[in-house]
Amino acid sequence: KIDVEGFEYYVLKGATETLQKESLKYILLEFNNSGATFGISDQKVFDFVTSYGFKPLSYEVAKKEIRIETTFRTDKFNTIFIRA
């Protein structure tokens, strides 16, 4: 889980070796536009993490269903990513 109050992009940029490791299966990121303080959009963070082969997921509790999504969650702050 990465929740660093808008500094997510820079943490990810510093973790490129880790992001390339096949052993890293999931990442949980918070998207709440706090990166705007540093001139970084949520879309830029999303584009960066997906460039490493990660796909966003959603989980519907009532149906016990996991779905691959096309973008980060806007209804809640946290988005789970899985390595494709």
Side-chain angles (χ1 to χ4, degrees):
K1 166 121 170 73
I2 301 173
D3 180 359
V4 289
E5 303 307 319
F7 215 68
E8 285 79 3
Y9 178 76
Y10 298 105
V11 169
L12 291 166
K13 288 281 287 185
T16 55
E17 279 186 43
T18 300
L19 290 170
Q20 292 174 37
K21 291 182 179 179
E22 290 296 318
S23 60
L24 180 62
K25 303 293 183 196
Y26 302 96
I27 301 173
L28 178 62
L29 289 169
E30 183 177 37
F31 290 89
N32 63 6
N33 205 36
S34 59
T37 304
F38 305 103
I40 303 297
S41 69
D42 285 348
Q43 187 64 51
K44 185 170 183 169
V45 175
F46 176 81
D47 292 344
F48 186 78
V49 77
T50 56
S51 75
Y52 282 86
F54 288 91
K55 302 283 184 188
L57 296 178
S58 65
Y59 178 69
E60 191 168 330
V61 176
K63 293 182 179 179
K64 297 181 181 177
E65 180 180 280
I66 295 173
R67 286 190 312 250
I68 300 288
E69 299 292 342
T70 57
T71 190
F72 55 91
R73 298 195 57 166
T74 56
D75 61 330
K76 299 190 181 201
F77 291 143
N78 292 320
T79 299
I80 299 172
F81 291 82
I82 186 170
R83 186 174 300 282

